[in-house]
Amino acid sequence: FMSAIVASPILLTCSVVICAYTERRWDDLSASIMSLSKQPAATQIVIAVDHNEALAARLRSAFPHITVVENMNAPGLNHARNAGVAAADGAIIAFIDDDALPDDHWVERMLVPYRDPAVVGVGGSIEPNWPGTRPNWFPAEFDWVVGCTYRGMPEQATPVRNIIGCNMSFRREAFDLVGGFTFGRVGALAIGSENDETEFCIRLGNALPQAKILYSPDIHVLHRVTPERLKLRY
């Protein structure tokens, strides 16, 4: 497996997969697609739509240059991600959420660590985009609750056990080796939302104990925090 990997990011193609299930995030999704469309390193943009025919049709009409696929299995983030992987043709498959905005050089920076053939996965930092100011009772150590990186995570590139799904990538061979994602949230249900990629990374690490999954804070996205997530009840 390791000997078959191309080490230079210049030679690597990258498919970016965004999973979407609702038209309520249309503005955020559109902004992400337009940002990625300006990044030459993103050789393919794949939107995996989870059981929403109207959204799929709207995407195909508005963005004819992207690849739109529909999850034909049971509803859920895991099945949508797997549909996106099946449609991706890049050597690297990157993932970003439908309510997140990538840095202008996100894909380019994502590919750099793959110069090391031992690297099989790369993830980056996720900054919360608050609707106003951060609640004064909400500490940065708890930013994982809203799907973001949090105080206490590494401040420089370092190997980690797992990366966060809003900002992550893997070599295509990783999916050939250990299969796809196995479970995850359905719609807006938050329970289990970060478990899908965690379980995948653990499986990958067990299969390739000498390989590295790298976290680099310089690979950056901005993740919207919706008003309902600002309540203590959430």
Side-chain angles (χ1 to χ4, degrees), residues 1 9 25 30 38 40 70 76 81 91 100 102 110 130 144 150-151 156 158 171 178 188 193 208:
F1 173 81
R25 295 181 176 180
S30 297
K38 297 175 183 177
E70 298 183 57
R81 281 176 172 168
M110 185 75 81
W130 302 100
W144 57 270
Y150 50 91
R151 182 181 294 151
Q156 59 186 8
T158 187
R171 295 188 189 270
V178 301
S193 59
L208 293 171

Side-chain angles (χ1 to χ4, degrees), residues 62-180:
F63 302 102
H65 65 288
I66 69 173
T67 301
V68 179
V69 296
E70 298 183 57
N71 171 26
M72 306 306 293
N73 292 307
L77 178 61
N78 57 330
H79 293 301
R81 281 176 172 168
N82 290 338
V85 170
D89 57 22
I92 304 300
I93 304 176
F95 299 84
I96 184 172
D97 283 4
D98 60 348
D99 55 357
L101 184 67
D103 177 271
D104 289 344
H105 303 282
W106 180 66
V107 182
E108 180 183 355
R109 289 172 178 161
M110 185 75 81
L111 293 179
V112 171
Y114 287 106
R115 290 173 178 166
D116 181 353
V119 172
V120 296
V122 177
S125 60
I126 307 160
E127 179 183 348
N129 181 13
W130 302 100
T133 59
R134 172 192 288 271
N136 57 15
W137 53 267
F138 195 102
E141 287 85 351
F142 279 12
D143 281 1
W144 57 270
V145 174
V146 291
C148 297
T149 49
Y150 50 91
R151 182 181 294 151
M153 289 187 66
E155 297 182 0
Q156 59 186 8
T158 187
V160 293
R161 184 194 68 172
N162 62 276
I163 44 187
I164 299 176
C166 181
N167 184 2
M168 68 178 181
S169 66
F170 300 96
R171 295 188 189 270
R172 168 173 291 282
E173 293 91 341
F175 298 97
D176 297 336
L177 181 68
V178 301

